[in-house]
Amino acid sequence: MSTRSGTRPRFAVVGNPENRRVALFADAVRAAGLPGPRVVSWAGVLRDEGADFAAEEIVRIDSPGENAEVDRLLRGTSDATRVEGSARWYAGFTAALRTLRGGVRLDDVDDLAVLFDKRRCHGVLRAAGVPVPASPTSGPDGARVRGWDDVRALMREHRMPRLFVKPAHGSSASGVLAVEAGGGRIRATTSVEIAADGRLHNSLKVRRYEREADIADIVDALAPDGLHLERWLPKASQHGRVTDLRVVVVAGRATHAVVRTSRTPLTNLHLGGSRGDLDAARQAVEAAGARWADVLEVCERAAACFPRTLCVGVDLLPAVGWRRAFVGEVNAFGDLLPRLTGLPGSGAEGLDTYAAQVTAALRAHARTGPTEPPPGPTRPHSGPLEPHDPLHPHDQHDPLHPLHPLHPLHPHRTGTPRARTR
């Protein structure tokens, strides 16, 4: 395969060679008729203080997770189940990203630094008018949480009796607590297990703590790594199970989606969540008088905040009644959805998430040649977006709501609106 520039595309990936993420991406590259990508190991990057790429290499940065040696180098502990240490992990990861030299990047270093800080990411989304849950810790001016006493004070100050407490640099629900207070009692639902020595460990079992002293111990142990607080929004349900969606956005377009359901507030599949019915979710949105295309548009607007990164996974929180939706998180490595093919009308029909990214990268390569990075997504524009609090009780029929038919699109991109066939 050659391109307009006359060069044959070459891919490279920074990842853990044994990881299925790397294997799935390599399969997608070979399926496109190209040699498998050159694999640069995270362990090598961390030990050798960087890696070099040829100017024409198209470089994908993949997750450093699920490797004991890499986790030890980043976190400083050989116990992969430990929850503490996420601030050290973040500092090591972002420093390592800046030691990668050359190549055409599919992931932007500055974007990744924001995506792996929930406080900064929330602030960027909010500033762009993307609907997000209210948060007192959002952005550069957000409150800093030094421990449980600060959480309790912020709950009172912001009238948030139900909220999520999240490690600022966590992933896969590690260390997340769903806290609810009322009737003189308080409880927290989490996958955190307190060991006999007081250390915190990730568990595949979701448990509930009802002693405030236990909850305080967990929060106090995690606070030095940085904490992010978000209002706990009541979510829509399927068959009595709370429901959200993971939507993958590639080159600015929502290409893949799964529904996740759970009997607990944590819908992660590895914590007992299960896949729900995507067709039923779409029908529920339309039955509520909203448009499915607008649901996907919210995710695309969130991805547009990170225009130099080819692919992100957006966690979308549909509100009770299915008329409104909020972005919970944007994930840099949220594309691990094996065997899932693209949404109708997405341009990725019949492709998994990795094949969709390879296709988008090759199209950009053909347009721009090997020395220019893939262009960021372009968005339609329909006028300025006024400052808006998506939780304001008087705004539920306001056209600035994400699922309202008159909702404007991202204000910072221009271009010709494209046809929507969903």
Side-chain angles (χ1 to χ4, degrees):
M1 177 182 294
S2 61
T3 65
R4 186 180 64 183
S5 65
T7 62
R8 182 179 176 85
R10 294 167 50 197
F11 281 90
V13 57
V14 181
N16 295 323
E18 77 286 354
N19 194 278
R20 57 178 174 163
R21 294 175 179 271
V22 172
L24 289 167
F25 181 71
D27 288 344
V29 172
R30 285 189 288 266
L34 297 170
R38 180 167 73 98
V39 179
V40 176
S41 73
W42 271 116
V45 169
L46 294 167
R47 286 195 305 261
D48 301 336
E49 298 184 349
D52 294 283
F53 300 91
E56 70 274 10
E57 278 188 297
I58 303 172
V59 182
R60 169 186 171 87
I61 298 172
D62 217 325
S63 171
E66 301 179 5
N67 181 287
E69 180 183 6
V70 172
D71 199 58
R72 178 182 59 79
L73 291 169
L74 289 174
R75 193 183 295 269
T77 176
S78 58
D79 187 346
T81 70
R82 286 287 298 280
V83 182
E84 304 99 313
S86 60
R88 177 171 176 169
W89 180 97
Y90 176 77
F93 174 62
T94 52
L97 290 173
R98 300 187 188 283
T99 67
L100 304 176
R101 299 171 290 270
V104 179
R105 306 296 181 82
L106 300 183
D107 314 84
D108 180 75
V109 171
D110 292 330
D111 282 354
L112 291 175
V114 174
L115 288 166
F116 276 96
D117 187 326
K118 298 183 193 302
R119 300 162 299 190
R120 294 176 64 190
C121 184
H122 190 284
V124 167
L125 295 171
R126 184 184 61 182
V130 176
V132 289
S135 169
T137 57
S138 175
D141 298 324
R144 291 298 176 256
V145 179
R146 296 160 296 183
W148 177 244
D149 288 344
D150 286 347
V151 173
R152 286 292 257 159
L154 290 168
M155 290 173 71
R156 290 190 295 270
E157 179 183 349
H158 293 271
R159 298 182 180 180
M160 297 171 64
R162 301 172 81 240
L163 80 164
F164 282 92
V165 180
K166 302 179 178 182
H169 310 299
S171 62
S172 302
S174 174
V176 173
L177 296 92
V179 178
E180 46 194 329
R185 302 179 62 185
I186 192 162
R187 63 184 181 184
T189 304
T190 180
S191 63
V192 172
E193 179 179 0
I194 305 175
D197 61 4
R199 295 180 178 181
L200 307 182
H201 294 264
N202 283 307
S203 169
L204 294 180
K205 177 183 178 182
V206 176
R207 63 199 69 221
R208 180 174 291 168
Y209 293 96
E210 299 192 356
R211 292 180 63 248
E212 185 167 356
D214 292 333
I215 300 170
D217 286 344
I218 295 173
V219 172
D220 288 345
L222 294 177
D225 286 323
L227 292 174
H228 176 58
L229 310 183
E230 286 182 356
R231 187 182 297 274
W232 178 350
L233 302 177
K235 292 193 291 189
S237 64
Q238 283 190 355
H239 307 295
R241 297 167 63 92
V242 295
T243 300
D244 61 21
L245 292 90
R246 165 65 59 83
V247 180
V248 175
V249 182
V250 177
R253 186 143 194 183
T255 57
H256 299 74
V258 294
V259 173
R260 306 182 301 186
T261 73
S262 177
R263 298 194 184 281
T264 78
L266 307 177
T267 59
N268 303 71
L269 300 181
H270 72 283
L271 295 178
S274 60
R275 290 195 182 187
D277 188 331
L278 187 62
D279 286 338
R282 177 182 56 78
Q283 292 166 10
V285 167
E286 293 172 350
R291 298 192 306 171
W292 179 245
D294 291 335
V295 172
L296 301 180
E297 204 81 56
V298 172
C299 301
E300 293 173 353
R301 290 178 56 216
C305 294
F306 307 96
R308 296 176 300 278
T309 294
L310 179 69
C311 174
V312 295
V314 180
D315 290 345
L316 192 72
L317 316 177
V320 172
W322 292 94
R323 281 193 57 83
R324 303 168 65 193
F326 302 85
V327 172
E329 295 187 11
V330 182
N331 304 274
F333 305 131
D335 54 0
L336 183 60
L337 299 171
R339 298 179 298 280
L340 182 71
T341 54
L343 294 164
S346 68
E349 298 90 340
L351 303 178
D352 68 11
T353 58
Y354 298 97
Q357 292 171 70
V358 170
T359 299
L362 291 177
R363 286 174 179 164
H365 186 279
R367 289 196 304 267
T368 65
T371 60
E372 297 293 332
T378 58
R379 305 290 300 116
H381 177 67
S382 60
L385 185 66
E386 298 299 327
H388 171 58
D389 179 358
L391 291 172
H392 195 288
H394 304 299
D395 286 344
Q396 65 181 16
H397 301 299
D398 190 289
L400 292 181
H401 269 297
L403 299 187
H404 192 284
L406 298 180
H407 186 274
L409 303 180
H410 197 282
H412 306 303
R413 299 286 186 269
T414 60
T416 303
R418 52 183 169 79
R420 302 305 296 257
T421 57
R422 302 183 184 100

